[in-house]
Amino acid sequence: MDDERQALLQFKHGLIDDAGRLASWVTEENSDCCKWAGIACDNVTGHVHKIHLPGKYCYFADYTSEKAYEECWKQRRLRGDLSPSLLNLKQLKHLDLSLNDFGEKQIPRFVGSLRNLRYLNLSRSRFGGTVPPQLGNLSELRTLGLGSFYESFYESGEPISMMNMQWLSGLRFLHHLDMSGLDLSKAIDWFQVINTLPSLVELHLSYCHLMHIHPHVASLNLTSLSVLDLSINYFGNSLVPQWIFSLTSLVSLDLSWCDFHGPIPSSSEGFHNMTSLRLLYVRGSSFMNSSFVLKGLSGSNLVSLDISDCGVSSLALDSLHNLTSLQSLDLSSNQLTRAIPKSLGNLCNLREIDLSANNFGNISLTFLLESFFECKSSSLEKLSVSNNRLNGTLPDSLGLLSNLVHLDISNNLLMGVVTDAPFSNLNNLKVLNGRGNNLILANWNPHFRLERLFLNSWDIGPQFPLWLLQQSDLRELEISNTNISSTMPHSFCGSFPNLEHLDMSQNHIQGRLLGIPSTLSILDLSHNKFIGQLPELSNSSLIYILDLSYNSFEGMLHKLICSYGGKQLGVLNLANNHLSGGIPNQCWERYEWLEFLSLENNNLSGGIPRTMGSLYSLSSLNMCNNKLSGRLPSSLKNLIYLRFLQLAGNKFVGRIPTWLGTKITFLSILNLRSNNFRLFIPRELCYLTRIHILDLAHNNLSGNIPRCFKNFTILAGKGYISDDIIFSNYIGYKYASGSASLVMKGREDTYSTILSLVLIVDLSSNNLTGHIPSELMALHSLLSLNLSRNQLTGSIPKNIGDMKSLVSFDVSLNQLSGELPVSLSSLNFLSSFNVSYNNFTGRVPTSTQLQSFTESSFCGNKLCGDPLPESCAVAVPDAHHEDEEEKGGAHVADLGLITSTVFGLIAGFWVVVVPLIVSTRWRIEYFGFLRELKYMICDVICKYWCNVFHKC
């Protein structure tokens, strides 16, 4: 019908079709729109009744880089606007625009006027705004897909929220509803509304920020519900609601990460009545750590059970012995400490079991899996016991699991010699992951054909294992740190036509690398002894990660850089070789996806070519410790996504460019150490609010320290270092990580895995003048501050005690003066401290940290007090004057005592004089007493004057 054909053409006009998916939609009048891609018409009426244009899903694991993954989506998604011309399709019943990209535009309200729609799927299509309530007018709707408008629940973008869901109540025939990823935290009526949809069969509300679980329900109308997904919501550590156990028709139930705890309601029989249940996922649910709850599953015909990270103990496992239909069992990340109960040998249909990341302790793999080894007819195809502490060696009984396809024993304490015996019957094995053990491989002749093999840290050397050449089906191979010290066979690269991932790092493999297979996307040969010229890369190469660091390659870069015509390369690490010559001026425009480039510790010379400014995707650039010279080309300001810039140990000259702060604002590490940069530190660096390592030491910089350094948000403790601050790119099983050689506590170390924890400002060994800005003390999260070997004057700011995180502080060899601030005593984490060779005076403040340093931390000043040998003098009066005052005071006291005594005696004399006149005997006695008293008084007076004049 022409009007419907025109409506579709108008609809196409509003779309952007990068991949030409709508190429068959042409304007010719004789074109039958019912034959166009994605269009279906009614066989009787001829009306268009179906538009089916979903994008094709791109799985990240299928792509070698994030860029390739994004390119996949770009080619597989429609973009643009939805035209209201769709309203002319009166008989439209099916509209599927899922997995497309509508640029966070709102779902058009006119969609609610397509009254005949039975099927509407807009999920993962990057709509924004709010869901129009007009969709409630689609009363004939059976399927409504509004699930996450992004490819991932965790993708950046504001989640769409809804205040209420009342508009859903009119969709009485709805049987499939997906609203996963929408923010329903404010829609507290969600369950009451859902309970009004009696025809509902599938309900997906994963990651909807639900908080109200509505435990008490008067009547339950969801009698037809077979699929319920409430995973990744936070119900506030509540009990599992009774109504969930009343859904006896459920086939699939997902309550993972809902924060439900036990016990289950006393009025509930748990899972006893849920006899239709086949799939149960309750990851992270502590209520499952109960024998009573697990026994409730015994009457079910479960096929898949995920009770990982539930705190399940070994004692509770016996309760699972009746689940004879079980094919997949995930028990990872629990509290299992004992061997698997023999009763689990009854699970004769079990295909997959995951026991990784438990706490089995020092038991052997044989003891752990005894029940399955005894079950000789075991159908087990996938077994994972990784990340435990299993000891012993691989048991010969492993061969009884003859159907194994996937075996993961990685990261345990297994040791000893591995022979053919444990693998004698494992003819179907495709994946063997044994990395992280201490096993020795000897005289191995496997009968299986592996696709993925990981033997990292095994001892399989010193000769190159020739049995590997027979594994022609390999796609992924990791044999790093395996003590191989011979040369790699010339036939090696040609033996694996499908090899995509090769890691042979940290060995001692010798010889020349003649070529790189075009099928490889990851090649890591770092930390070996390869020699000769760098290999060429073919134009058809799919390489994304190429790590040839820590070898003895020599010669120029040109052969490798300019032989490659592809655009896949994302990580190139050539550090720590013997490469020489200049950096190629041309060819860099081919590397539009390059994100990581390290050329450090070579003998490269010349300048940085301007053409490197075309590396628009670059996140990390490391050229430290070469012989590079000249000025930094202004074209580098085009690298706006750069996070790491490390150029230390070269001969660069000129001023530090201002565009480093104004254009490359994502910088988190700027290392220009040991060059010949001169003049002032540009204030524009203060725009680098994300900076957490700033090293400008050993240059010829002059002028003042900018006060605006206080704007460094991360160092001030006002921001968080995001996870991607350490450059890492996850490709399959490989991380490409950045590193930095930094000086802290007077020692140079290389930091890699903990680089995000290192927060440093180092301005030492320059010609900086002026005072230390007090504003610098606002960097409360700073770990190391080095201002030594400059010409700074003034004093240390009194508020230095605000820098509570300081571990290392060095202002030695300056012209600072004054006293050391008392607030230094509050720096409780200091382990390196140096204020030597300044003009400081006074006492060293008292604290546990400061008194623990040696005299060398303070020498060359006029300081005193512990830990220095010079004690601080106490301010006291003149000693002779003090003695005179003390003696004079004592004399006055003695004279008063004598005077009081004399007057007392005189008074006493007159009191008795009258009686003496009257009595002769009293007179005789009295004058005798008086004579003795005269001698006593004379003696006291003599002693007093002797003391005063030191002479008698």
Side-chain angles (χ1 to χ4, degrees), residues 70 81 125 185 323 332 358 378 393 402 552 589 599 669 746 783 806 824 898-899:
E70 291 175 354
D81 300 304
S125 49
S185 59
L323 300 180
S332 61
N358 275 282
S378 173
T393 189
S402 56
S552 297
E589 66 276 1
L599 302 173
I669 293 180
L783 297 181
L806 268 187
L824 283 170
I898 295 170
T899 304

mmCIF file of all heavy atoms in Angstrom, residues 70 81 125 185 323 332 358 378 393 402 552 589 599 669 746 783 806 824 898-899:
data_model
loop_
_atom_site.group_PDB
_atom_site.id
_atom_site.type_symbol
_atom_site.label_atom_id
_atom_site.label_comp_id
_atom_site.label_asym_id
_atom_site.label_seq_id
_atom_site.Cartn_x
_atom_site.Cartn_y
_atom_site.Cartn_z
ATOM 1 N N GLU A 70 33.293 -0.711 20.231
ATOM 2 C CA GLU A 70 32.460 0.446 19.922
ATOM 3 C C GLU A 70 32.152 0.526 18.432
ATOM 4 O O GLU A 70 31.056 0.920 18.035
ATOM 5 C CB GLU A 70 33.172 1.724 20.386
ATOM 6 C CG GLU A 70 33.264 1.850 21.900
ATOM 7 C CD GLU A 70 34.080 3.048 22.329
ATOM 8 O OE1 GLU A 70 34.666 3.717 21.444
ATOM 9 O OE2 GLU A 70 34.143 3.322 23.536
ATOM 10 N N ASP A 81 16.143 9.840 14.735
ATOM 11 C CA ASP A 81 14.853 10.158 15.354
ATOM 12 C C ASP A 81 13.773 9.220 14.821
ATOM 13 O O ASP A 81 13.829 8.761 13.678
ATOM 14 C CB ASP A 81 14.449 11.604 15.045
ATOM 15 C CG ASP A 81 15.474 12.606 15.564
ATOM 16 O OD1 ASP A 81 15.761 12.557 16.778
ATOM 17 O OD2 ASP A 81 15.993 13.407 14.766
ATOM 18 N N SER A 125 18.288 0.602 23.828
ATOM 19 C CA SER A 125 18.280 1.422 22.621
ATOM 20 C C SER A 125 18.634 2.869 22.915
ATOM 21 O O SER A 125 18.388 3.740 22.099
ATOM 22 C CB SER A 125 16.911 1.346 21.939
ATOM 23 O OG SER A 125 15.879 1.563 22.878
ATOM 24 N N SER A 185 13.076 3.525 42.144
ATOM 25 C CA SER A 185 13.180 3.727 43.592
ATOM 26 C C SER A 185 12.037 4.567 44.147
ATOM 27 O O SER A 185 11.658 4.423 45.313
ATOM 28 C CB SER A 185 14.525 4.389 43.931
ATOM 29 O OG SER A 185 14.650 5.640 43.264
ATOM 30 N N LEU A 323 19.060 -33.604 44.503
ATOM 31 C CA LEU A 323 18.870 -32.807 43.282
ATOM 32 C C LEU A 323 19.492 -33.544 42.091
ATOM 33 O O LEU A 323 20.431 -33.078 41.456
ATOM 34 C CB LEU A 323 19.498 -31.427 43.444
ATOM 35 C CG LEU A 323 18.946 -30.570 44.586
ATOM 36 C CD1 LEU A 323 19.665 -29.232 44.637
ATOM 37 C CD2 LEU A 323 17.450 -30.351 44.412
ATOM 38 N N SER A 332 30.773 -21.277 44.436
ATOM 39 C CA SER A 332 31.971 -20.456 44.607
ATOM 40 C C SER A 332 31.772 -19.390 45.683
ATOM 41 O O SER A 332 30.648 -18.998 46.008
ATOM 42 C CB SER A 332 32.342 -19.784 43.283
ATOM 43 O OG SER A 332 31.293 -18.936 42.837
ATOM 44 N N ASN A 358 36.826 -20.676 47.848
ATOM 45 C CA ASN A 358 36.313 -21.100 49.146
ATOM 46 C C ASN A 358 37.471 -21.127 50.146
ATOM 47 O O ASN A 358 38.496 -20.482 49.932
ATOM 48 C CB ASN A 358 35.618 -22.456 49.040
ATOM 49 C CG ASN A 358 34.161 -22.318 48.616
ATOM 50 O OD1 ASN A 358 33.305 -21.968 49.422
ATOM 51 N ND2 ASN A 358 33.881 -22.565 47.339
ATOM 52 N N SER A 378 30.562 -40.383 36.081
ATOM 53 C CA SER A 378 30.286 -38.959 36.207
ATOM 54 C C SER A 378 30.186 -38.286 34.845
ATOM 55 O O SER A 378 30.987 -38.548 33.954
ATOM 56 C CB SER A 378 31.377 -38.269 37.032
ATOM 57 O OG SER A 378 31.185 -36.879 37.016
ATOM 58 N N THR A 393 49.461 -32.961 44.660
ATOM 59 C CA THR A 393 49.637 -32.906 43.216
ATOM 60 C C THR A 393 48.339 -33.326 42.532
ATOM 61 O O THR A 393 47.329 -33.587 43.193
ATOM 62 C CB THR A 393 50.793 -33.807 42.775
ATOM 63 O OG1 THR A 393 51.069 -33.571 41.392
ATOM 64 C CG2 THR A 393 50.462 -35.280 43.000
ATOM 65 N N SER A 402 35.960 -38.555 32.781
ATOM 66 C CA SER A 402 36.315 -38.698 31.370
ATOM 67 C C SER A 402 35.572 -37.735 30.449
ATOM 68 O O SER A 402 35.949 -37.579 29.289
ATOM 69 C CB SER A 402 36.059 -40.142 30.910
ATOM 70 O OG SER A 402 34.708 -40.493 31.163
ATOM 71 N N SER A 552 66.326 -7.715 24.499
ATOM 72 C CA SER A 552 67.553 -7.091 23.997
ATOM 73 C C SER A 552 67.411 -6.752 22.516
ATOM 74 O O SER A 552 68.366 -6.870 21.736
ATOM 75 C CB SER A 552 68.755 -8.021 24.212
ATOM 76 O OG SER A 552 68.964 -8.231 25.600
ATOM 77 N N GLU A 589 50.017 8.284 11.916
ATOM 78 C CA GLU A 589 48.600 8.526 11.616
ATOM 79 C C GLU A 589 47.829 7.222 11.453
ATOM 80 O O GLU A 589 46.597 7.210 11.502
ATOM 81 C CB GLU A 589 48.469 9.384 10.348
ATOM 82 C CG GLU A 589 48.928 8.726 9.074
ATOM 83 C CD GLU A 589 50.439 8.825 8.839
ATOM 84 O OE1 GLU A 589 51.139 9.415 9.704
ATOM 85 O OE2 GLU A 589 50.917 8.311 7.796
ATOM 86 N N LEU A 599 58.180 3.571 25.471
ATOM 87 C CA LEU A 599 59.489 3.429 24.834
ATOM 88 C C LEU A 599 60.600 3.702 25.841
ATOM 89 O O LEU A 599 61.739 3.959 25.458
ATOM 90 C CB LEU A 599 59.604 4.412 23.663
ATOM 91 C CG LEU A 599 58.555 4.291 22.554
ATOM 92 C CD1 LEU A 599 58.686 5.434 21.567
ATOM 93 C CD2 LEU A 599 58.677 2.953 21.839
ATOM 94 N N ILE A 669 49.172 11.819 35.835
ATOM 95 C CA ILE A 669 50.604 11.706 36.113
ATOM 96 C C ILE A 669 51.355 12.561 35.111
ATOM 97 O O ILE A 669 51.224 12.382 33.897
ATOM 98 C CB ILE A 669 51.084 10.246 36.016
ATOM 99 C CG1 ILE A 669 50.470 9.396 37.120
ATOM 100 C CG2 ILE A 669 52.607 10.188 36.109
ATOM 101 C CD1 ILE A 669 50.911 7.943 37.084
ATOM 102 N N GLY A 746 63.675 9.316 49.238
ATOM 103 C CA GLY A 746 65.049 9.313 48.794
ATOM 104 C C GLY A 746 65.456 8.098 47.996
ATOM 105 O O GLY A 746 66.630 7.893 47.711
ATOM 106 N N LEU A 783 51.079 12.288 49.926
ATOM 107 C CA LEU A 783 51.936 11.354 50.669
ATOM 108 C C LEU A 783 53.387 11.816 50.719
ATOM 109 O O LEU A 783 54.076 11.572 51.704
ATOM 110 C CB LEU A 783 51.872 9.961 50.029
ATOM 111 C CG LEU A 783 50.527 9.254 50.015
ATOM 112 C CD1 LEU A 783 50.674 7.889 49.357
ATOM 113 C CD2 LEU A 783 49.967 9.105 51.410
ATOM 114 N N LEU A 806 50.952 12.842 55.100
ATOM 115 C CA LEU A 806 52.357 12.877 54.687
ATOM 116 C C LEU A 806 53.153 11.702 55.246
ATOM 117 O O LEU A 806 53.151 11.444 56.440
ATOM 118 C CB LEU A 806 53.006 14.180 55.141
ATOM 119 C CG LEU A 806 52.988 15.370 54.167
ATOM 120 C CD1 LEU A 806 53.814 16.504 54.732
ATOM 121 C CD2 LEU A 806 53.504 14.975 52.793
ATOM 122 N N LEU A 824 54.059 20.083 63.241
ATOM 123 C CA LEU A 824 54.733 18.901 62.692
ATOM 124 C C LEU A 824 54.508 17.679 63.569
ATOM 125 O O LEU A 824 54.571 16.533 63.102
ATOM 126 C CB LEU A 824 56.236 19.163 62.558
ATOM 127 C CG LEU A 824 56.707 20.021 61.379
ATOM 128 C CD1 LEU A 824 58.173 20.382 61.534
ATOM 129 C CD2 LEU A 824 56.480 19.284 60.061
ATOM 130 N N ILE A 898 63.911 34.949 116.308
ATOM 131 C CA ILE A 898 64.655 35.343 117.516
ATOM 132 C C ILE A 898 63.936 36.479 118.253
ATOM 133 O O ILE A 898 63.787 36.466 119.481
ATOM 134 C CB ILE A 898 66.096 35.774 117.143
ATOM 135 C CG1 ILE A 898 66.867 34.553 116.576
ATOM 136 C CG2 ILE A 898 66.816 36.381 118.325
ATOM 137 C CD1 ILE A 898 68.183 34.914 115.964
ATOM 138 N N THR A 899 63.486 37.458 117.460
ATOM 139 C CA THR A 899 62.803 38.610 118.082
ATOM 140 C C THR A 899 61.562 38.165 118.823
ATOM 141 O O THR A 899 61.268 38.595 119.947
ATOM 142 C CB THR A 899 62.439 39.638 117.009
ATOM 143 O OG1 THR A 899 63.625 40.018 116.305
ATOM 144 C CG2 THR A 899 61.796 40.868 117.640
#
